[in-house]
Amino acid sequence: MAEDALVAERSGLVSSLLAVIDRRDWGELAGLVTEDVVYHRPGCPPIEGVDAFVAFYRRRCIVASGRHAVERWVEGGGQVCCWGRFDGVSHSGVPLSEIFADWFEVRDGRVSRRRSFFYRPAI
């Protein structure tokens, strides 16, 4: 496969993953990640394995609805980085608006690692 096609495939996979999360389609989400997926989020211990990954979104994630709007993609060497804004609403009705950056590792056509970064004012 040509390099340009691989870049499009990896970025498309990550775009699909974010869209599936936004749609809250947990059955489809499991098929986009490897069995041994690891997800790192600020302030949380690593989320390890497909079952824990899907369970995080089903039960622990505070988001009731929302949408990722990616502003930029960078891809190379089996890795994809993107950044943008997430806007939504929490389960308690609180509006959510967050600038984010995500790093993904892709293996065998599925996401095997994800690391999220959020931008907030710091002291």
Side-chain angles (χ1 to χ4, degrees), residues 69-88:
V70 175
E71 295 175 17
R72 183 83 167 170
W73 298 94
V74 178
E75 194 278 341
Q79 300 177 48
V80 177
C81 294
C82 66
W83 56 91
R85 176 174 291 282
F86 176 84
D87 289 298

Side-chain angles (χ1 to χ4, degrees), residues 1 3-23 28-29 31-33 68 70 72-76 78-82 104-111:
M1 185 179 284
E3 185 61 28
D4 288 345
L6 284 173
V7 168
E9 179 181 322
R10 290 179 188 131
S11 296
L13 169 65
V14 170
S15 180
S16 293
L17 181 109
L18 296 176
V20 163
I21 290 168
D22 291 349
R23 284 195 315 268
E28 189 174 343
L29 180 61
L32 296 175
V33 299
H68 291 84
V70 175
R72 183 83 167 170
W73 298 94
V74 178
E75 194 278 341
Q79 300 177 48
V80 177
C81 294
C82 66
F104 300 86
E105 186 174 300
V106 176
R107 186 177 77 233
D108 300 327
R110 295 189 289 164
V111 171

Side-chain angles (χ1 to χ4, degrees), residues 42-59:
C44 296
I47 299 163
E48 299 181 12
V50 65
D51 292 338
F53 185 76
V54 173
F56 166 76
Y57 286 104
R58 284 191 127 146
R59 296 183 194 93

